[in-house]
Amino acid sequence: MKRKISRRTGLKLMTAGTLMGLGARGSATAAPAKSVPADAWAQTHDRVFLGGEFWANPMEDWRVSEGGAECLSMGGGRSVHSLTHQITQNGAFTMSVTLTRLEIGKADGGAGFRIGIRSEINEYRSNCFVQKGINAGWQGDQLVLGPKTVPVKDGSAVKQVKLTLKGAAEGDTCVLTLTASAADSGAELGTVSHAFSANELLGNVSIANNFAAGAVAGAKKNKAKAGAAGAGRYRFQNWAMEGSAFTVSPQNQFGPLLWSMYSLSDSRTDEGFVMKLSVLTAPLGKEDNSSVSLFVKEGEKWKPLGKADLDPDAWVGTFRIPKWNAKQATPYKVVYWETPKNSMHAIMHEWTGTIKANPEGRPLRMAALTCQNDYGFPYAPVAENLLKLDPDLVFFSGDQIYEGHGGFGIIREPSDRAILNYLRKFYQHGWAFREVMRNAPTLCLPDDHDVFHGNLWGEGGMKMREGGDTSSDGGYIEPARMVNAVHKTNVAHHPDAYDPKPVLQDISVYYGDMVYGGVSFAIIADRQWKSGPQHVQTGGGRGDHVEDADFDTSTLDKPGLVLLGERQEEFLKKWAEDWRGHSLKAVLSQTVFANAATHHGSFDGYLKADLDSGGWPQTPRNRAVEIMRPSMALHINGDQHITTLMQYGVDKQRDSNWSFCTPAISAGYPRWWRPDELKMPHENRPKHGLSDTGEYLDGLGNKAYVYAVGNPVVGQAPNRYEKAHEKGSGFGFITFDTEKKTYFIESFRFLINATDGKPGNQFPGWPVTIHQQENRGENVIG
């Protein structure tokens, strides 16, 4: 529950006793009350993670060091937001912090507070990525408060000051007063006041290091270079705040337990159902506790199931529990004991949820999602619809991040920095969807952007050539250590891999199956072995794009090219024939096995073919479909930023499996399927008569019966959610009826209520019911 504090009630953000983990949605489970130090940074071991009350921009540029939050970078726009305190009304407040100036270049970029930080939706998570606000701090030899500056006594020589910012409401304005005082004696060094509109102050509050977002771009790798360019680097201690202007929401804390994901699968062996659960923590320190514990509730008591060590790269602890009782729902909790410095009292953090019972005697309901471009973060319409629908299973098919997530670019090497850079971006995924993942089995595939590639052509784990292009060269550009950390954060909780032998560079694999709710899911990595475009010539321009409408794409189908690879093909063959413990099947992979877009990037951006689609290489594509055909599986995938429902053909149209490519959660790079305006030949348009549907040869010559497509419009709305809706964002939902042997497929738009039954909630052509036998060409739909 949110509560407001009176102007006399102070709350130190660093109070260790406020650290907690979330319990049931919308509630918080506090640590036991105890006498605690006032400044938790002073009681925190040196580490990356600043505490659950904070979001650091960017995480990899901050550390707890010498009892404070230290910025490691001379770059601009670094900040730490309070997650628990937002200014929501015009009222009195006070904030204070002690600053230590650690390093200065030719000019000081300034440090102190920033307030009034808000996005267009003024939601605390989305606010964390806004660089605008009112700056109030110490810069060189002066104090800065919005547009005003005043001198600071001995400001260039002094190394440590205490800043105090006070707000006093006066009608529709708020008068801010910033005071600098000597940290040791308390002597006043300078003060400045200015009146602001009360609305300007609403939103998040943060501490800031180098106020200007553009200061010393790229300087973080070389401090000497940064100093020459001009900036500053500070340590922050004793950040405190109080006052009636704040709304205090302790349930907004994020960490050290961030979220959990689990799977439940019938092993069809003596192990019975196997439950695997991974919990992600924030990056901790060498002196911190390095394990998490799992408990399940039996009656009124919590039964321990063991401990798991945290992986020091991925910061994931994984539990594997065989012989799980899948007939009943089981509450669980993960516990992490934090051990402050110089204290005999550990702080208990909890993360709770429920392991669902295996769905029996009823249909299995699965949510299917893909592609999270963070202009739409935190994707609340989608996340809230998932909670309303309460799926039995959640599937993320990839691109949980994009390189631009959260700003501040990417770090390719060294491995440890690249991993932290990735983790910070990946945490936005959990921050948005952890409420549904805590209670529903979740499958989560990594894709190209997750490993910092525009397109991934894995070539069986090969290292990319020096100077290679991440859109059109084969192999991995990132160090294998980073790739493995990405895999672990996404799939550590998946059922055991069919064959865990790593590929080249000792990169891990994760393909295998899960049997749940009477359905067998084949989990495939459709890019880990895929050949790169460097093996072919596409006629100029980008190596993965065919721009010439007259180009003969059959020349791209060269012998020896790979899509799934021999190991996954062998697995699929055996899986297709194995019907133990289930009566329906589905294949889960990153993308569709067809070239299901005619325009890319812009409305007029025609492409005949995109080799990044699963429609290339053509021969192994056809072989993959032929292997899948006996399974009668529905292929569920994503990646394309345009939702489609189609049926594959190999020897003839409509002789094989159906594919459902889900909408992007938040579509970035746009794609369209507009064959009619290009006068592409087609036959047998479906009875619904929708444009751009029917039997086509795609740009690579693959046979594809397109039944439904969700073309976007050009996104222009200033509101992130309206823009996502325009761009064709949303999510998929599949109901597996194991008695009727059907798949009921829904494709929901972004900005809707999925439970109100309005026809416009779904893209044109949906919902659709597919019968099992139609996945081998015994067609019912016309």
Side-chain angles (χ1 to χ4, degrees), residues 87 89-91 118 134 168-176 194-202:
I87 294 179
Q89 62 184 8
N90 191 11
R118 63 184 183 275
I134 298 171
E170 293 187 4
D172 293 333
T173 66
C174 185
V175 177
L176 298 185
H194 189 68
F196 295 86
S197 165
N199 287 336
E200 292 182 77
L201 277 60
L202 302 180

Side-chain angles (χ1 to χ4, degrees), residues 164-181:
T164 303
L165 180 66
K166 293 188 175 183
E170 293 187 4
D172 293 333
T173 66
C174 185
V175 177
L176 298 185
T177 300
L178 177 67
T179 303
S181 55

